[in-house]
Amino acid sequence: MFFRKKVDEINVNATDNEYLVWKICFDGVKFDKTVRLNVGTGCQALIYVNGVPSGASREAGAHELNMKKALKNNDKIEIVGVRRDAQFSIKFALIGENAVPYIDSEVQSQLQPRVSIRGECYCKVLDGAKIYTAYGCRDGISAEDVRKNIFGGITQILIDSLGKKLNEYSYFTIAQSLNDLSDTVKRLIEAQILNEGFLLERCSVELPYFGENYAALRAQAIENAKKEERKQDERDRAMRIVEKSVAAAKSDAKPASKSGQCPKCGKKNAVDAKFCRFCGSKMN
């Protein structure tokens, strides 16, 4: 907003833009000695003098600002609008190359699915001054800015954490994982959001998506595994039959002839001798 004369009235209204926090621009203008500050319903106004907060936030209503000292010192005045207690949501998605790896225990040797996870976090403006400082005093801060700032640097952490939690469930109990997945996302980001001046009220995660062909691929993989198992059973059965035949053949073989060697002294005797003729020991 630009002015061509001395500013004697400032309006801070939430309908002016879609920002959660925004700076009102006064480049190239001068303030009157007394300025009326009109703060609209659902808004707050923050006043900064030379980059330092000046007093408490101004709530909805009319306020009179004495600008004499600031004008005399040639101070830089900034006024920032805040959507007080505004609720908003930020969406996130782990898809494509960022989809979450999942171990499907029944088919893990044949299929290695990556699961798409989408969700939404519901937030609330808590501290406009903290937000304005955390985001570098830019002209405006939107819900999209919050999403990029919160989720931009934790993609891999999200993938790892949600993957670990997802693997606690089987393919048929995935629907029961939603609360755990939502709590995992909330735990990962709520401290950062609070530190930046927002309150994280809750997170929700949609049903993980395996892709439209995964169910069919999975069923085929299970059937292939069963066929291979049956073939292996047949091979094992055939091997057991061969092993039994070999064992039977060995049992039918004639026993080897006696050597006539004395088990005690080792000297040679007649094959049919009952006692060793050298030491007298009984022959086997």
Side-chain angles (χ1 to χ4, degrees):
M1 154 186 329
F2 293 88
F3 301 89
R4 296 182 178 178
K5 62 179 183 178
K6 287 185 177 181
V7 176
D8 59 4
E9 187 172 27
I10 302 169
N11 297 313
V12 178
N13 295 306
T15 56
D16 290 345
N17 53 65
E18 296 182 357
Y19 291 123
L20 302 169
V21 177
W22 66 98
K23 182 166 61 177
I24 300 172
C25 182
F26 299 108
D27 292 343
V29 302
K30 293 184 178 180
F31 290 104
D32 204 345
K33 293 180 179 179
T34 301
V35 174
R36 180 184 176 88
L37 177 64
N38 300 314
V39 182
T41 302
C43 292
Q44 288 177 322
L46 309 175
I47 300 175
Y48 292 82
V49 178
N50 298 324
V52 179
S54 176
S57 60
R58 275 60 169 187
E59 302 297 329
H63 307 267
E64 187 175 278
L65 305 180
N66 189 333
M67 307 294 283
K68 291 181 181 179
K69 183 177 179 181
L71 292 171
K72 181 179 179 180
N73 296 333
N74 199 28
D75 292 328
K76 180 182 178 181
I77 307 298
E78 291 178 318
I79 296 180
V80 175
V82 179
R83 290 180 186 268
R84 189 179 189 278
D85 298 327
Q87 294 178 313
F88 63 98
S89 66
I90 51 178
K91 296 182 178 182
F92 65 91
L94 297 172
I95 58 178
E97 63 180 16
N98 289 328
V100 177
Y102 175 67
I103 299 174
D104 190 338
S105 58
E106 287 188 275
V107 294
Q108 67 180 87
S109 62
Q110 300 179 64
L111 298 177
Q112 297 179 340
R114 296 183 72 91
V115 183
S116 297
I117 295 181
R118 299 175 184 269
E120 193 166 6
C121 295
Y122 301 87
C123 310
K124 181 178 179 181
V125 172
L126 193 64
D127 188 329
K130 186 178 285 188
I131 297 168
Y132 188 57
T133 301
Y135 282 75
C137 305
R138 63 183 69 176
D139 290 341
I141 301 159
S142 66
E144 177 61 15
D145 294 324
V146 179
R147 185 194 67 78
K148 290 179 179 178
N149 194 58
I150 296 298
F151 288 103
I154 64 167
T155 299
Q156 191 57 52
I157 296 174
L158 270 177
I159 292 172
D160 294 342
S161 299
L162 293 179
K164 183 177 179 181
K165 182 57 64 177
L166 198 63
N167 284 325
E168 295 178 7
Y169 294 84
S170 73
Y171 176 73
F172 293 105
T173 61
I174 285 294
Q176 299 173 21
S177 71
L178 300 187
N179 286 338
D180 275 350
L181 295 177
S182 299
D183 289 343
T184 298
V185 175
K186 184 177 180 181
R187 175 177 54 80
L188 288 172
I189 69 172
E190 63 182 344
Q192 182 181 349
I193 282 185
L194 184 61
N195 193 51
E196 293 180 0
F198 299 102
L199 177 66
L200 178 60
E201 296 185 314
R202 65 185 178 89
C203 291
S204 65
V205 172
E206 298 176 7
L207 186 67
Y209 181 62
F210 285 80
E212 59 183 64
N213 295 325
Y214 183 73
L217 292 172
R218 185 179 189 277
Q220 186 61 56
I222 291 174
E223 181 58 31
N224 291 341
K226 288 180 179 178
K227 287 180 179 179
E228 183 57 35
E229 186 177 348
R230 287 194 292 269
K231 288 180 181 179
Q232 186 60 48
D233 286 343
E234 291 174 1
R235 288 192 290 266
D236 291 344
R237 202 161 36 242
M239 183 60 69
R240 287 194 294 271
I241 292 172
V242 171
E243 290 173 349
K244 286 181 179 179
S245 298
V246 171
K250 287 182 178 180
S251 66
D252 291 339
K254 293 182 179 180
S257 60
K258 295 182 179 180
S259 66
Q261 186 177 11
C262 177
K264 186 172 183 180
C265 68
K267 291 184 178 181
K268 194 74 172 178
N269 290 269
V271 173
D272 58 348
K274 294 183 177 180
F275 296 92
C276 177
R277 65 188 180 91
F278 300 100
C279 67
S281 297
K282 188 176 181 179
M283 301 289 284
N284 291 334

